[in-house]
């Protein structure tokens, strides 16, 4: 894993944010010269960090996750939050940051992120974040943890992008419907992951097989119910 370079990130984000602002003024017709001027850089400097305009704009989304991680460092006790609280905090913060450039997000999220021809840095960082949320939570049941794998995180990521797309189209007051949907979805995930019913079934199965109870039915029944006379 590459070590995070805050200085390099700051410059890349400065370029990406300037490009987004230029996009909002004139769409994809903006030039790198205009971006360089807005970011107080030379065009040659931009090419040290990005090969083209599309990569610059795509990085804007990836930078949101980096910014969110930096915010988490300021939240005391975040590691003790319940799973639903962590997931909803992430979703709400993303909504707030996406709203900073709402028109750009509305125009490009599907094209640059959802329908990207290759795996984006945004997807990688979101999936890594989800993995940290789930693997660091000791309240997740053993049986539920067996379901957590790369396919699971990919599915979570896809559901998150659907949630963002719903938020983009949500015309309810204050986007209340998106908030309610987020609350219900994260609570549902937590209920599934924290449910220990299946764990009890696994413990029973382990007991039965480890003691060979299934292979010695009469002996087992005698031990459990000694007052009952069983004729073999």
């Amino acid at each position: 894993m590459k070590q995070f370079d805050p200085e390099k990130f700051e410059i890349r984000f400065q370029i990406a944010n300037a490009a987004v602002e230029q996009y909002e003024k004139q769409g994809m017709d903006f030039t790198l010269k205009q971006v360089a001027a807005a970011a107080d850089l030379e065009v040659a400097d931009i090419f040290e960090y990005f090969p083209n305009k599309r990569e610059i704009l795509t990085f804007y989304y990836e930078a949101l996750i980096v910014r969110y991680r930096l915010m988490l460092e300021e939240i005391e006790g975040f590691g003790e939050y319940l799973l639903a609280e962590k997931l909803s905090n992430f979703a709400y913060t993303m909504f707030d940051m996406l709203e900073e450039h709402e028109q750009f997000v509305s125009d490009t999220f599907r094209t640059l992120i959802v329908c990207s021809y290759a795996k984006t840095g945004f997807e990688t960082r979101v999936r890594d974040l989800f993995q940290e949320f789930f693997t660091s939570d000791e309240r997740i049941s053993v049986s539920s943890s067996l379901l957590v794998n790369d396919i699971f995180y990919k599915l979570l990521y896809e559901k998150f992008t659907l949630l963002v797309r719903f938020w983009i189209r949500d015309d309810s007051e204050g986007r209340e419907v998106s908030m309610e949907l987020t609350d219900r979805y994260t609570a549902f995930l937590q209920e599934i992951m924290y449910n220990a019913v299946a764990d009890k079934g696994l413990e029973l199965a382990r007991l039965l097989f480890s003691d060979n109870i299934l292979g010695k039915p009469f002996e087992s029944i005698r031990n459990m119910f000694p007052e009952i006379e069983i004729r073999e």
Side-chain angles (χ1 to χ4, degrees), residues 158-220:
E158 290 174 352
K159 296 303 181 185
F160 172 67
T161 60
L162 286 175
L163 186 61
V164 172
R165 293 179 69 186
F166 182 88
W167 173 86
I168 291 172
R169 299 189 302 270
D170 186 5
D171 58 0
S172 62
E173 184 175 354
R175 288 192 164 103
E176 291 179 356
V177 177
S178 293
M179 303 305 172
E180 182 176 358
L181 180 60
T182 299
D183 286 341
R184 290 179 180 272
Y185 175 56
T186 55
F188 173 71
L189 279 176
Q190 177 174 294
E191 180 67 22
I192 292 175
M193 302 308 295
Y194 283 6
N195 195 319
V197 172
D199 284 1
K200 297 183 184 300
L202 290 175
E203 290 174 5
L204 176 59
R206 185 164 54 247
L207 173 65
L208 292 174
F209 285 104
S210 64
D211 291 346
N212 199 24
I213 292 176
L214 293 178
K216 300 183 292 183
F218 296 117
E219 243 180 82
S220 302

Side-chain angles (χ1 to χ4, degrees), residues 2-220:
K2 294 181 179 180
Q3 187 173 3
F4 177 67
D5 184 336
E7 183 176 347
K8 181 178 180 180
F9 169 76
E10 185 61 34
I11 296 174
R12 297 189 81 198
F13 178 68
Q14 183 179 347
I15 295 170
N17 195 57
V20 168
E21 291 176 349
Q22 293 302 312
Y23 175 94
E24 290 176 326
K25 294 177 181 178
Q26 51 193 318
M28 285 298 289
D29 292 333
F30 71 87
T31 66
L32 291 182
K33 184 176 180 179
Q34 292 170 326
V35 173
D40 196 24
L41 297 168
E42 299 294 330
V43 174
D45 296 330
I46 293 179
F47 282 112
E48 290 184 14
Y49 297 95
F50 299 101
N52 54 54
K53 292 192 292 185
R54 182 185 178 92
E55 289 296 321
I56 297 173
L57 296 176
T58 301
F59 179 76
Y60 175 80
Y61 288 104
E62 180 181 350
L64 296 178
I65 311 304
V66 178
R67 291 169 61 198
Y68 176 71
R69 282 187 174 279
L70 294 174
M71 292 178 189
L72 290 186
E73 295 177 1
E74 305 299 321
I75 302 179
E76 185 176 353
F78 183 81
E80 302 303 316
Y81 281 20
L82 296 174
L83 183 61
E85 293 173 331
K86 290 181 180 178
L87 292 170
S88 59
N89 177 275
F90 170 64
Y92 295 152
T93 305
M94 283 298 103
F95 294 159
D96 287 344
M97 289 196 286
L98 291 170
E99 198 167 21
E100 294 172 0
H101 292 288
E102 187 173 349
Q103 187 57 53
F104 167 75
V105 172
S106 179
D107 289 349
T108 67
F109 185 76
R110 182 177 181 277
T111 303
L112 296 179
I113 301 300
V114 178
C115 298
S116 174
Y117 52 83
K119 187 176 181 180
T120 64
F122 177 77
E123 177 180 351
T124 298
R125 290 187 181 276
V126 170
R127 288 172 63 172
D128 286 348
L129 184 69
F130 285 158
Q131 184 173 357
E132 289 184 24
F133 284 172
F134 281 78
T135 57
S136 65
D137 195 329
E138 297 180 353
R139 288 160 292 209
I140 292 178
S141 66
V142 174
S143 52
S144 295
S145 66
L146 297 177
L147 303 174
V148 178
N149 52 35
D150 287 342
I151 296 176
F152 175 79
Y153 293 125
K154 179 176 176 57
L155 180 62
L156 277 186
Y157 170 75
E158 290 174 352
K159 296 303 181 185
F160 172 67
T161 60
L162 286 175
L163 186 61
V164 172
R165 293 179 69 186
F166 182 88
W167 173 86
I168 291 172
R169 299 189 302 270
D170 186 5
D171 58 0
S172 62
E173 184 175 354
R175 288 192 164 103
E176 291 179 356
V177 177
S178 293
M179 303 305 172
E180 182 176 358
L181 180 60
T182 299
D183 286 341
R184 290 179 180 272
Y185 175 56
T186 55
F188 173 71
L189 279 176
Q190 177 174 294
E191 180 67 22
I192 292 175
M193 302 308 295
Y194 283 6
N195 195 319
V197 172
D199 284 1
K200 297 183 184 300
L202 290 175
E203 290 174 5
L204 176 59
R206 185 164 54 247
L207 173 65
L208 292 174
F209 285 104
S210 64
D211 291 346
N212 199 24
I213 292 176
L214 293 178
K216 300 183 292 183
F218 296 117
E219 243 180 82
S220 302

